[in-house]
Amino acid sequence: MEALRVPIIIVINGLLALLLLYYASIQLPIAGLMIGALMPLPTILVIHRSGWLAGSLLVGAGISIIYYAEHFFGFKAELLPFLQMAAVAFILSLLMNWQDRLEVVIGGTAILVAILEVGVFSLHAWQQNLTPIEYLQQAVQEFWTAIVQLLQKEHLLEKEMALSGLNAEVASAYIIQITPALLLINNMVVVLLNYVLSQRLGDSAAWRKQGGPLSCWDSPGWLVFIFIGAGFLLLAPIHLLNMIGVNLLLLSGMLYFFQGLAIIVFIFQRFQVPRFFRWSSYVLLVLIKPAIFLVVLIGLTDLWFDFRHLHRPPPEL
Protein backbone atom coordinates (compact mmCIF):
# COMPACT_ATOMS: atom_id res chain seq x y z
CA MET A 1 0.00 0.00 0.00
CA GLU A 2 2.83 2.41 0.85
CA ALA A 3 4.56 1.60 -2.46
CA LEU A 4 1.34 2.35 -4.35
CA ARG A 5 0.74 5.60 -2.48
CA VAL A 6 4.00 7.17 -3.68
CA PRO A 7 3.20 6.89 -7.44
CA ILE A 8 -0.32 8.21 -6.79
CA ILE A 9 1.08 11.26 -5.03
CA ILE A 10 3.54 11.77 -7.90
CA VAL A 11 0.71 11.51 -10.46
CA ILE A 12 -1.44 13.99 -8.53
CA ASN A 13 1.43 16.47 -8.25
CA GLY A 14 2.17 16.05 -11.95
CA LEU A 15 -1.50 16.56 -12.79
CA LEU A 16 -1.67 19.79 -10.80
CA ALA A 17 1.46 21.11 -12.52
CA LEU A 18 0.15 20.07 -15.93
CA LEU A 19 -3.25 21.72 -15.44
CA LEU A 20 -1.61 24.87 -14.09
CA LEU A 21 0.63 25.12 -17.16
CA TYR A 22 -2.33 24.47 -19.44
CA TYR A 23 -4.51 27.10 -17.75
CA ALA A 24 -1.71 29.68 -17.86
CA SER A 25 -1.02 28.93 -21.53
CA ILE A 26 -4.58 29.82 -22.56
CA GLN A 27 -5.05 32.75 -20.19
CA LEU A 28 -1.83 34.66 -20.82
CA PRO A 29 -1.77 36.00 -24.38
CA ILE A 30 1.97 36.25 -25.12
CA ALA A 31 3.72 34.57 -22.19
CA GLY A 32 1.33 31.65 -22.70
CA LEU A 33 3.26 30.62 -25.81
CA MET A 34 6.36 29.89 -23.74
CA ILE A 35 4.37 28.40 -20.86
CA GLY A 36 2.51 26.10 -23.23
CA ALA A 37 5.81 24.77 -24.53
CA LEU A 38 6.53 23.43 -21.02
CA MET A 39 3.40 21.28 -20.87
CA PRO A 40 5.20 18.00 -21.74
CA LEU A 41 7.57 18.43 -18.77
CA PRO A 42 5.34 17.08 -15.94
CA THR A 43 4.47 13.99 -17.98
CA ILE A 44 8.13 13.34 -18.84
CA LEU A 45 9.16 13.59 -15.20
CA VAL A 46 6.32 11.31 -14.03
CA ILE A 47 7.17 8.70 -16.70
CA HIS A 48 10.81 8.58 -15.69
CA ARG A 49 10.01 8.64 -11.99
CA SER A 50 7.12 6.17 -11.82
CA GLY A 51 6.83 4.49 -15.23
CA TRP A 52 4.65 4.53 -18.32
CA LEU A 53 1.46 3.55 -16.51
CA ALA A 54 1.73 6.56 -14.20
CA GLY A 55 2.38 8.82 -17.19
CA SER A 56 -0.66 7.39 -18.99
CA LEU A 57 -2.85 7.92 -15.91
CA LEU A 58 -1.63 11.50 -15.71
CA VAL A 59 -2.51 12.29 -19.34
CA GLY A 60 -5.82 10.41 -19.11
CA ALA A 61 -6.84 12.37 -16.01
CA GLY A 62 -5.87 15.63 -17.72
CA ILE A 63 -7.96 14.79 -20.80
CA SER A 64 -10.98 13.92 -18.65
CA ILE A 65 -10.78 17.14 -16.61
CA ILE A 66 -10.38 19.35 -19.68
CA TYR A 67 -13.24 17.57 -21.49
CA TYR A 68 -15.67 17.91 -18.59
CA ALA A 69 -14.62 21.50 -17.91
CA GLU A 70 -15.32 22.40 -21.53
CA HIS A 71 -18.58 20.52 -22.09
CA PHE A 72 -20.26 20.77 -18.69
CA PHE A 73 -18.92 23.99 -17.17
CA GLY A 74 -18.43 26.11 -20.29
CA PHE A 75 -14.70 26.51 -19.65
CA LYS A 76 -12.90 27.80 -22.73
CA ALA A 77 -10.43 25.05 -23.53
CA GLU A 78 -9.08 23.11 -26.49
CA LEU A 79 -8.10 19.49 -26.14
CA LEU A 80 -5.94 19.27 -29.27
CA PRO A 81 -2.96 21.35 -27.96
CA PHE A 82 -3.02 19.24 -24.79
CA LEU A 83 -2.86 16.04 -26.85
CA GLN A 84 -0.03 17.44 -28.99
CA MET A 85 2.06 18.20 -25.92
CA ALA A 86 1.25 14.74 -24.51
CA ALA A 87 2.55 13.22 -27.77
CA VAL A 88 5.77 15.20 -27.36
CA ALA A 89 6.17 13.85 -23.82
CA PHE A 90 5.64 10.20 -24.74
CA ILE A 91 7.74 10.21 -27.91
CA LEU A 92 10.59 12.12 -26.25
CA SER A 93 10.56 9.80 -23.23
CA LEU A 94 10.58 6.75 -25.51
CA LEU A 95 13.55 7.97 -27.55
CA MET A 96 15.44 9.07 -24.43
CA ASN A 97 15.17 5.51 -23.10
CA TRP A 98 16.07 3.95 -26.44
CA GLN A 99 18.72 6.12 -28.08
CA ASP A 100 22.16 7.35 -27.09
CA ARG A 101 22.56 10.01 -29.78
CA LEU A 102 21.18 13.44 -28.94
CA GLU A 103 20.51 14.27 -32.60
CA VAL A 104 18.27 11.23 -32.96
CA VAL A 105 16.40 11.99 -29.72
CA ILE A 106 15.69 15.67 -30.48
CA GLY A 107 15.36 15.44 -34.26
CA GLY A 108 13.44 12.17 -34.20
CA THR A 109 10.90 13.50 -31.70
CA ALA A 110 10.44 16.71 -33.70
CA ILE A 111 9.89 14.79 -36.96
CA LEU A 112 7.51 12.20 -35.48
CA VAL A 113 5.43 14.89 -33.77
CA ALA A 114 5.35 16.86 -37.04
CA ILE A 115 4.05 13.78 -38.88
CA LEU A 116 1.29 13.38 -36.29
CA GLU A 117 0.40 17.07 -36.55
CA VAL A 118 0.22 16.91 -40.36
CA GLY A 119 -2.03 13.84 -40.11
CA VAL A 120 -4.41 15.52 -37.65
CA PHE A 121 -4.40 18.69 -39.75
CA SER A 122 -5.24 16.75 -42.93
CA LEU A 123 -8.08 14.97 -41.10
CA HIS A 124 -9.56 18.33 -40.06
CA ALA A 125 -9.30 19.56 -43.64
CA TRP A 126 -11.10 16.45 -44.90
CA GLN A 127 -13.88 16.93 -42.32
CA GLN A 128 -14.47 20.46 -43.67
CA ASN A 129 -14.37 19.32 -47.33
CA LEU A 130 -11.19 21.30 -47.98
CA THR A 131 -7.83 20.33 -49.36
CA PRO A 132 -4.92 20.57 -46.88
CA ILE A 133 -3.57 23.62 -48.75
CA GLU A 134 -6.95 25.40 -48.66
CA TYR A 135 -7.35 24.61 -44.99
CA LEU A 136 -3.80 25.79 -44.32
CA GLN A 137 -4.47 29.09 -46.10
CA GLN A 138 -7.61 29.61 -44.03
CA ALA A 139 -5.86 28.71 -40.77
CA VAL A 140 -2.85 30.95 -41.48
CA GLN A 141 -5.04 33.94 -42.37
CA GLU A 142 -7.04 33.51 -39.16
CA PHE A 143 -3.82 33.11 -37.16
CA TRP A 144 -2.27 36.20 -38.70
CA THR A 145 -5.36 38.31 -38.04
CA ALA A 146 -5.45 37.13 -34.42
CA ILE A 147 -1.74 37.89 -33.93
CA VAL A 148 -2.07 41.41 -35.35
CA GLN A 149 -5.12 42.10 -33.16
CA LEU A 150 -3.27 40.79 -30.11
CA LEU A 151 -0.20 42.93 -30.77
CA GLN A 152 -2.35 45.99 -31.31
CA LYS A 153 -4.22 45.28 -28.08
CA GLU A 154 -0.94 44.95 -26.19
CA HIS A 155 0.43 48.11 -27.88
CA LEU A 156 3.31 46.11 -29.33
CA LEU A 157 2.57 46.88 -32.98
CA GLU A 158 3.78 50.29 -34.10
CA LYS A 159 2.61 52.02 -37.27
CA GLU A 160 6.08 52.23 -38.74
CA MET A 161 6.63 48.47 -38.46
CA ALA A 162 6.56 46.54 -41.71
CA LEU A 163 4.24 44.06 -40.04
CA SER A 164 1.40 46.60 -39.96
CA GLY A 165 1.56 47.01 -43.74
CA LEU A 166 0.88 43.36 -44.48
CA ASN A 167 -2.65 42.06 -44.76
CA ALA A 168 -3.66 38.55 -43.85
CA GLU A 169 -3.63 37.31 -47.44
CA VAL A 170 -0.13 38.56 -48.24
CA ALA A 171 1.28 37.40 -44.90
CA SER A 172 -0.29 33.96 -45.25
CA ALA A 173 1.39 33.51 -48.64
CA TYR A 174 4.81 34.03 -47.01
CA ILE A 175 4.03 31.82 -44.02
CA ILE A 176 2.66 28.96 -46.12
CA GLN A 177 5.90 28.79 -48.12
CA ILE A 178 7.97 28.26 -44.98
CA THR A 179 5.45 26.14 -43.08
CA PRO A 180 7.59 22.93 -43.19
CA ALA A 181 10.57 24.73 -41.67
CA LEU A 182 8.44 26.58 -39.11
CA LEU A 183 6.78 23.32 -38.03
CA LEU A 184 10.07 21.50 -37.50
CA ILE A 185 11.78 24.49 -35.87
CA ASN A 186 8.90 24.96 -33.43
CA ASN A 187 8.94 21.27 -32.55
CA MET A 188 12.72 21.24 -32.11
CA VAL A 189 12.59 24.22 -29.76
CA VAL A 190 9.80 22.64 -27.68
CA VAL A 191 11.54 19.26 -27.57
CA LEU A 192 14.96 20.71 -26.71
CA LEU A 193 13.51 22.93 -23.97
CA ASN A 194 11.74 20.00 -22.32
CA TYR A 195 14.78 17.75 -22.73
CA VAL A 196 17.07 20.24 -21.00
CA LEU A 197 14.65 20.96 -18.15
CA SER A 198 13.85 17.29 -17.60
CA GLN A 199 17.57 16.55 -17.31
CA ARG A 200 17.93 19.39 -14.82
CA LEU A 201 14.90 18.56 -12.70
CA GLY A 202 14.93 14.79 -12.94
CA ASP A 203 17.22 12.24 -11.36
CA SER A 204 20.18 12.20 -13.73
CA ALA A 205 21.14 8.70 -12.62
CA ALA A 206 17.85 7.31 -13.95
CA TRP A 207 18.27 8.74 -17.45
CA ARG A 208 19.99 7.17 -20.39
CA LYS A 209 22.99 9.27 -21.36
CA GLN A 210 22.72 10.99 -24.77
CA GLY A 211 26.35 11.73 -25.62
CA GLY A 212 28.27 14.44 -23.77
CA PRO A 213 27.02 17.72 -22.29
CA LEU A 214 24.93 20.00 -24.49
CA SER A 215 27.66 22.64 -24.39
CA CYS A 216 29.87 20.25 -26.40
CA TRP A 217 27.31 19.47 -29.09
CA ASP A 218 28.19 20.25 -32.69
CA SER A 219 26.36 19.72 -35.94
CA PRO A 220 27.58 17.21 -38.54
CA GLY A 221 30.16 18.54 -40.97
CA TRP A 222 28.03 17.81 -44.05
CA LEU A 223 25.40 20.31 -42.87
CA VAL A 224 27.48 23.15 -44.34
CA PHE A 225 26.87 21.77 -47.85
CA ILE A 226 23.10 21.87 -47.26
CA PHE A 227 23.42 25.42 -45.97
CA ILE A 228 25.42 26.54 -49.02
CA GLY A 229 23.19 24.59 -51.42
CA ALA A 230 20.09 26.21 -49.93
CA GLY A 231 21.60 29.61 -50.70
CA PHE A 232 22.08 28.63 -54.35
CA LEU A 233 18.49 27.35 -54.56
CA LEU A 234 17.29 30.83 -53.58
CA LEU A 235 18.85 32.13 -56.80
CA ALA A 236 17.13 29.55 -59.02
CA PRO A 237 14.48 30.85 -61.45
CA ILE A 238 12.01 28.13 -60.39
CA HIS A 239 9.62 29.00 -57.55
CA LEU A 240 9.53 25.45 -56.16
CA LEU A 241 13.31 25.42 -55.82
CA ASN A 242 13.14 28.80 -54.06
CA MET A 243 10.67 27.34 -51.53
CA ILE A 244 12.89 24.32 -50.91
CA GLY A 245 15.91 26.59 -50.53
CA VAL A 246 14.34 28.94 -47.99
CA ASN A 247 13.07 26.01 -45.88
CA LEU A 248 16.47 24.29 -45.91
CA LEU A 249 18.15 27.61 -45.10
CA LEU A 250 15.89 28.18 -42.10
CA LEU A 251 16.36 24.64 -40.78
CA SER A 252 20.14 24.57 -41.17
CA GLY A 253 20.35 28.10 -39.77
CA MET A 254 18.44 26.97 -36.68
CA LEU A 255 20.87 24.06 -36.19
CA TYR A 256 23.81 26.42 -36.46
CA PHE A 257 22.08 28.71 -33.97
CA PHE A 258 21.93 25.79 -31.52
CA GLN A 259 25.61 25.09 -32.13
CA GLY A 260 26.55 28.75 -31.64
CA LEU A 261 24.51 28.82 -28.44
CA ALA A 262 26.31 25.69 -27.22
CA ILE A 263 29.64 27.44 -27.84
CA ILE A 264 28.53 30.46 -25.81
CA VAL A 265 27.36 28.19 -22.97
CA PHE A 266 30.72 26.39 -23.10
CA ILE A 267 32.60 29.70 -22.84
CA PHE A 268 30.43 30.87 -19.94
CA GLN A 269 31.09 27.61 -18.11
CA ARG A 270 34.77 27.70 -18.93
CA PHE A 271 35.24 31.14 -17.38
CA GLN A 272 32.66 30.55 -14.59
CA VAL A 273 30.47 33.50 -15.55
CA PRO A 274 27.82 34.24 -12.85
CA ARG A 275 24.51 32.52 -13.49
CA PHE A 276 22.46 35.74 -13.52
CA PHE A 277 24.63 37.20 -16.27
CA ARG A 278 24.39 33.94 -18.22
CA TRP A 279 20.59 33.85 -18.30
CA SER A 280 20.35 37.57 -19.03
CA SER A 281 22.67 37.03 -21.99
CA TYR A 282 20.60 34.10 -23.27
CA VAL A 283 17.44 36.21 -23.23
CA LEU A 284 19.16 39.05 -25.09
CA LEU A 285 20.59 36.64 -27.67
CA VAL A 286 17.10 35.41 -28.50
CA LEU A 287 15.36 38.80 -28.50
CA ILE A 288 17.91 40.92 -30.39
CA LYS A 289 17.97 40.21 -34.14
CA PRO A 290 21.65 41.06 -34.80
CA ALA A 291 22.63 38.82 -31.91
CA ILE A 292 20.71 35.90 -33.44
CA PHE A 293 22.64 36.22 -36.71
CA LEU A 294 25.90 36.51 -34.73
CA VAL A 295 25.15 33.25 -32.90
CA VAL A 296 24.39 31.53 -36.24
CA LEU A 297 27.68 32.84 -37.63
CA ILE A 298 29.59 31.51 -34.61
CA GLY A 299 28.01 28.08 -35.07
CA LEU A 300 28.75 28.10 -38.82
CA THR A 301 32.39 29.11 -38.49
CA ASP A 302 33.02 26.59 -35.70
CA LEU A 303 33.62 24.03 -38.44
CA TRP A 304 36.89 25.84 -39.26
CA PHE A 305 37.87 27.58 -36.01
CA ASP A 306 36.86 24.85 -33.52
CA PHE A 307 36.21 27.34 -30.72
CA ARG A 308 35.93 24.65 -28.05
CA HIS A 309 38.92 22.58 -29.32
CA LEU A 310 36.70 19.50 -29.58
CA HIS A 311 38.32 18.14 -32.73
CA ARG A 312 41.99 18.71 -32.03
CA PRO A 313 44.01 15.48 -31.79
CA PRO A 314 45.43 14.71 -28.33
CA PRO A 315 49.08 15.68 -27.81
CA GLU A 316 51.60 12.93 -28.34
CA LEU A 317 53.09 11.50 -25.19
Side-chain angles (χ1 to χ4, degrees):
M1 180 64 71
E2 185 67 27
L4 181 62
R5 187 181 305 168
V6 174
I8 290 177
I9 294 176
I10 293 175
V11 171
I12 292 175
N13 290 335
L15 179 62
L16 292 175
L18 183 59
L19 293 177
L20 181 61
L21 289 171
Y22 179 76
Y23 180 77
S25 68
I26 61 179
Q27 292 297 322
L28 300 176
I30 297 178
L33 296 176
M34 178 61 69
I35 295 173
L38 299 177
M39 283 173 54
L41 186 58
T43 306
I44 295 172
L45 295 176
V46 168
I47 289 174
H48 285 270
R49 179 75 183 274
S50 302
W52 293 96
L53 178 59
S56 301
L57 290 174
L58 169 62
V59 173
I63 292 174
S64 301
I65 292 174
I66 293 174
Y67 177 83
Y68 281 104
E70 180 181 4
H71 288 81
F72 294 96
F73 299 100
F75 182 74
K76 183 181 178 181
E78 293 184 7
L79 197 55
L80 184 58
F82 183 89
L83 294 175
Q84 290 174 337
M85 292 298 103
V88 172
F90 278 97
I91 296 175
L92 179 57
S93 298
L94 179 63
L95 291 182
M96 287 172 68
N97 286 327
W98 174 62
Q99 261 294 331
D100 295 325
R101 296 181 57 188
L102 180 62
E103 297 88 350
V104 176
V105 172
I106 304 300
T109 304
I111 292 173
L112 290 175
V113 172
I115 293 173
L116 288 176
E117 291 173 343
V118 170
V120 173
F121 186 86
S122 301
L123 179 60
H124 284 181
W126 176 76
Q127 290 176 340
Q128 299 192 22
N129 295 321
L130 296 173
T131 65
I133 296 298
E134 291 173 344
Y135 188 57
L136 178 61
Q137 291 174 340
Q138 175 182 313
V140 169
Q141 289 181 8
E142 293 175 354
F143 172 78
W144 182 262
T145 302
I147 287 294
V148 172
Q149 291 176 351
L150 175 61
L151 294 177
Q152 289 174 339
K153 180 180 178 181
E154 299 292 329
H155 305 290
L156 297 176
L157 185 61
E158 301 295 339
K159 294 181 179 179
E160 63 270 18
M161 291 179 62
L163 187 62
S164 61
L166 294 176
N167 57 37
E169 184 176 354
V170 175
S172 64
Y174 289 117
I175 296 176
I176 288 172
Q177 292 182 12
I178 60 174
T179 294
L182 291 179
L183 181 60
L184 288 174
I185 289 173
N186 176 74
N187 286 344
M188 280 194 294
V189 171
V190 171
V191 171
L192 184 60
L193 182 63
N194 284 276
Y195 174 85
V196 172
L197 290 177
S198 62
Q199 293 283 349
R200 293 283 184 180
L201 299 176
D203 182 8
S204 59
W207 303 80
R208 189 184 184 97
K209 204 67 176 174
Q210 278 81 38
L214 287 173
S215 59
C216 293
W217 178 83
D218 61 339
S219 60
W222 49 259
L223 183 64
V224 68
F225 297 105
I226 294 180
F227 186 82
I228 295 173
F232 282 111
L233 288 178
L234 293 178
L235 303 176
I238 303 175
H239 180 66
L240 178 60
L241 294 179
N242 295 153
M243 289 180 55
I244 296 175
V246 71
N247 280 276
L248 289 177
L249 196 64
L250 288 172
L251 284 172
S252 55
M254 175 57 71
L255 292 177
Y256 281 124
F257 175 81
F258 288 153
Q259 182 169 344
L261 193 60
I263 294 170
I264 294 173
V265 172
F266 180 90
I267 294 173
F268 284 168
Q269 293 175 348
R270 172 69 177 79
F271 293 98
Q272 298 181 351
V273 176
R275 186 165 298 181
F276 174 78
F277 182 78
R278 292 187 199 179
W279 288 104
S280 301
S281 301
Y282 299 152
V283 173
L284 292 177
L285 289 175
V286 173
L287 295 180
I288 300 176
K289 289 183 180 179
I292 294 177
F293 292 114
L294 178 61
V295 175
V296 173
L297 182 61
I298 292 174
L300 179 62
T301 55
D302 186 51
L303 180 64
W304 296 278
F305 292 103
D306 193 13
F307 295 107
R308 296 162 292 184
H309 309 316
L310 298 180
H311 306 292
R312 291 187 179 182
E316 296 184 1
L317 297 177

